[in-house]
Amino acid sequence: MVRLFFKIFRVAVVVAALVALFVQYKYKDEYLAYKQHAVPYLMYHSIGVVPGWDKDVCIPEQLFAQHLQYFSEHGYQVITAAEARRKLLAGEDVAKNVVLTFDDGYNNNYTVAYPLLQKYGYHATFFVIGNSVGGPDYMTYEQLQEMHAHGMEIGSHTMSHDPLNIIATGYLPWEIYQPINLLRQHLGFYIEGIAYPNGAYNQAVLAEIHKYPFIKYALTGKAGCNTAKIVRETPLELRRMGIYDNGNGITGLERRLEKAYLVGFLESKGVPTDWLYKLTVPKI
Ligand SMILES: [Zn+2]
């Protein structure tokens, strides 16, 4: 069974590599042009490995520092989701712009990620859970205020972190509005972005969010990049790429970036991309 899995996995890697190479050569100019106006949004969680925590949500501090070094050396601008949205809508140059987002509001986002981001003059977006702010292992409102004062964006990751698609409609206002109202009390204004827990949402969720015009965008777990078209037409269904430590060091980040661009490009050409999302895309 395990051997069969690895066999299928190897085939999948080869298929993805072939797709990537095919796109690069057949559509090279178009692909490069697409990259000039598409912005990958990357999703981090814990920066630092915490014993007992799901390894999937932890990026070691050293590796995160390498990520920032990589962005710096390769000429990327690291910006918030709100800034990317503004630039895309204004038609500004977004070539080599990348958005860093952090979900759940872990304390190490403040103690580890925030100082490292500041070292490079980078800004990022932090989505916090209403019920967790100020709890053990989580950031406090005072820390969020400080980060915001230094250019970081704060967003909402709902009240309870339960996937919104399984929440009874009657509880949606509590899940969506309550954490934003709490942030307003502490920050002094309405935040403008939401990240769906597990990337999950449905029509009832979209209808609920439409009641609050100050909510400008929401992030799903759908792979790809965001473009002016996507931000304008489906602002509550923006794309985002999860970043995990798969043991490949900086190559892992390069692959995820390439995958975000590649999936976004294929999607822009009308190709169904759900199948590709499951495959590992090499750097090309
Ligand atoms: Zn989360």
Side-chain angles (χ1 to χ4, degrees), residues 197-223:
N198 298 2
Y201 65 102
N202 57 21
Q203 287 305 316
V205 171
L206 297 180
E208 180 63 29
I209 297 178
H210 277 302
K211 294 178 186 168
Y212 311 106
F214 46 81
I215 302 175
K216 305 295 187 201
Y217 71 87
L219 306 182
T220 69
K222 191 169 158 45

Side-chain angles (χ1 to χ4, degrees), residues 103-265:
D103 278 13
D104 302 346
Y106 297 117
N107 183 53
N108 57 34
N109 287 183
Y110 175 80
T111 57
V112 181
Y114 172 51
L116 281 168
L117 288 162
Q118 281 192 306
K119 192 176 132 191
Y120 288 89
Y122 290 159
H123 293 153
T125 305
F126 297 81
F127 294 100
V128 299
I129 305 161
N131 273 343
S132 300
V133 177
D137 297 325
Y138 291 90
M139 293 187 282
T140 65
Y141 282 113
E142 289 69 30
Q143 289 168 338
L144 299 178
Q145 283 168 349
E146 181 194 330
M147 290 162 78
H148 173 260
H150 288 86
M152 304 298 160
E153 181 191 6
I154 311 300
S156 171
H157 201 32
T158 75
M159 199 65 198
S160 73
H161 199 273
D162 286 341
L164 291 175
N165 60 334
I166 59 159
I167 298 282
T169 312
Y171 284 100
L172 284 177
W174 185 78
E175 285 287 3
I176 291 166
Y177 181 69
Q178 179 68 358
I180 292 176
N181 194 35
L182 287 169
L183 283 168
R184 184 189 62 81
Q185 287 167 19
H186 289 89
L187 298 176
F189 58 89
Y190 282 119
I191 54 98
E192 61 182 85
I194 291 178
Y196 301 125
N198 298 2
Y201 65 102
N202 57 21
Q203 287 305 316
V205 171
L206 297 180
E208 180 63 29
I209 297 178
H210 277 302
K211 294 178 186 168
Y212 311 106
F214 46 81
I215 302 175
K216 305 295 187 201
Y217 71 87
L219 306 182
T220 69
K222 191 169 158 45
C225 284
N226 293 304
T227 59
K229 184 180 191 303
I230 290 175
V231 167
R232 204 167 31 237
E233 293 176 5
T234 50
L236 302 183
E237 296 168 273
L238 300 189
R239 318 299 191 240
R240 196 157 60 138
M241 182 62 80
I243 298 295
Y244 308 103
D245 178 19
N246 53 12
N248 287 326
I250 205 68
T251 310
L253 174 69
E254 288 182 311
R255 285 179 180 170
R256 298 301 281 180
L257 268 176
E258 197 64 48
K259 185 166 179 171
Y261 283 123
L262 185 68
V263 171
F265 174 68

